[in-house]
């Protein structure tokens, strides 16, 4: 294994040596180690995904915090086309979030909060976020101001198939809203046209 990847892996797994939450200093060290190994970013992402899937429930939220820290620092330091961690994490993010969601129930609201911040700060677009909201029991993304548009379900929705159904449902609702808007515009246009017809023509009609 590349020494930079190994150094990152060591920092990451050392999280389990102390009780959560992870200290700010430790999170900074993990993030720096990840960026030093950017030439092997695929291996870094794989290390995080493996950690989240294998660690005990009390550390799964910390794994999500690691992802969040890497994404934010990578966007800040590189940005644009040079930012490679975001797209790579996105490839398997819904599956990773399923493992995160197995954290203690009292921590699940913090998982939801991370997704709110990702939406609000445009870390990911709505297409990427929609399956993530479905995993935590939401049928639609948050609005642009970070407020939830739907209530949280009592239990998490099963992944993949349910996520796809949620996305299709959202798209169908958007299409129906567009149809209603078009019909309303046509109605307004017809009323405006009627108002501009001279009285004599209206009587002839």
């Amino acid at each position: 294994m590349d020494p930079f990847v190994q150094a990152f892996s060591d920092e990451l797994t050392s999280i389990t040596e102390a009780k959560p939450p992870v200290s700010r200093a430790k999170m900074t060290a993990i993030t720096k180690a990840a960026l030093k190994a950017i030439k092997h970013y695929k291996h870094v992402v794989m290390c995080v995904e493996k950690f989240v899937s294998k660690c005990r429930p009390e550390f799964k939220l910390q794994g999500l915090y690691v992802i969040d820290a890497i994404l934010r620092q990578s966007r800040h330091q590189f940005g644009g086309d040079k930012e490679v961690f975001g797209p790579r994490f996105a490839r398997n993010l819904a599956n990773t979030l399923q493992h995160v969601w197995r954290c203690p129930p009292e921590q699940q609201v913090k998982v939801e909060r991370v997704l709110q911040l990702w939406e609000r700060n445009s870390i990911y677009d709505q297409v990427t976020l929609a399956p993530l909201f479905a995993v935590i029991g939401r049928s639609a993304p948050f609005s642009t101001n970070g407020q939830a548009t739907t209530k949280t379900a009592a239990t998490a929705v099963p992944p993949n198939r349910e996520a796809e159904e949620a996305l299709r449902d959202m798209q169908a609702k958007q299409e129906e809203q567009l149809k209603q808007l078009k019909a309303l515009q046509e109605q307004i246009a017809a009323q405006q046209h009627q108002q501009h017809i001279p009285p004599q023509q209206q009587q002839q009609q």
Side-chain angles (χ1 to χ4, degrees):
M1 181 181 291
D2 178 83
F4 287 112
V5 176
Q6 184 64 59
F8 169 77
S9 179
D10 292 343
E11 285 285 358
L12 179 63
T13 55
S14 67
I15 288 177
T16 60
E17 296 174 2
K19 292 183 178 181
V22 177
S23 68
R24 181 176 298 181
K26 170 60 72 173
M27 191 63 72
T28 299
I30 294 171
T31 305
K32 287 182 177 179
L35 296 184
K36 284 182 179 179
I38 192 169
K39 289 184 178 180
H40 304 279
Y41 68 94
K42 294 180 182 180
H43 295 284
V44 171
V45 171
M46 189 182 302
C47 286
V48 178
E49 292 174 344
K50 182 178 179 181
F51 174 82
V52 171
S53 66
K54 300 293 185 181
C55 69
R56 299 196 304 273
E58 62 265 31
F59 292 103
K60 293 188 182 296
L61 175 63
Q62 309 308 309
L64 180 63
Y65 285 164
V66 168
I67 295 174
D68 179 65
I70 293 174
L71 290 176
R72 291 177 181 277
Q73 187 58 35
S74 181
R75 281 167 58 91
H76 173 74
Q77 189 167 328
F78 300 104
D81 296 335
K82 294 183 179 180
E83 203 291 289
V84 294
F85 284 106
R88 190 66 187 183
F89 273 117
R91 290 165 62 97
N92 200 37
L93 197 51
N95 184 60
T96 301
L97 193 64
Q98 293 169 35
H99 293 290
V100 173
W101 197 243
R102 293 173 185 147
C103 65
E106 64 272 15
Q107 294 182 0
Q108 290 181 346
V109 65
K110 296 181 180 179
V111 175
E112 185 176 327
R113 176 61 176 165
V114 171
L115 297 188
Q116 281 184 313
L117 293 174
W118 284 359
E119 191 276 338
R120 181 180 299 173
N121 297 319
S122 300
I123 300 297
Y124 285 115
D125 59 24
Q126 298 291 356
V127 174
T128 304
L129 289 170
L132 306 185
F133 292 127
V135 169
I136 68 170
R138 291 191 178 277
S139 60
F142 291 92
S143 62
T144 54
N145 63 1
Q147 297 297 320
T149 57
T150 58
K151 294 182 179 180
T152 305
T155 58
V157 177
N160 300 330
R161 182 176 60 81
E162 295 293 342
E164 293 174 358
E165 290 178 357
L167 181 57
R168 285 196 297 268
D169 182 63
M170 179 183 66
Q171 292 172 338
K173 289 180 180 179
Q174 290 175 340
E175 290 177 0
E176 181 63 26
Q177 289 175 350
L178 288 174
K179 289 180 181 179
Q180 294 176 357
L181 178 60
K182 184 178 180 180
L184 180 60
Q185 290 174 336
E186 291 176 351
Q187 182 180 357
I188 293 174
Q191 292 175 350
Q192 292 176 341
H193 178 72
Q194 187 71 21
Q195 291 174 355
H196 287 84
I197 297 177
Q200 292 180 351
Q201 293 185 15
Q202 292 182 4
Q203 292 175 0
Q204 293 176 359
Q205 293 177 357

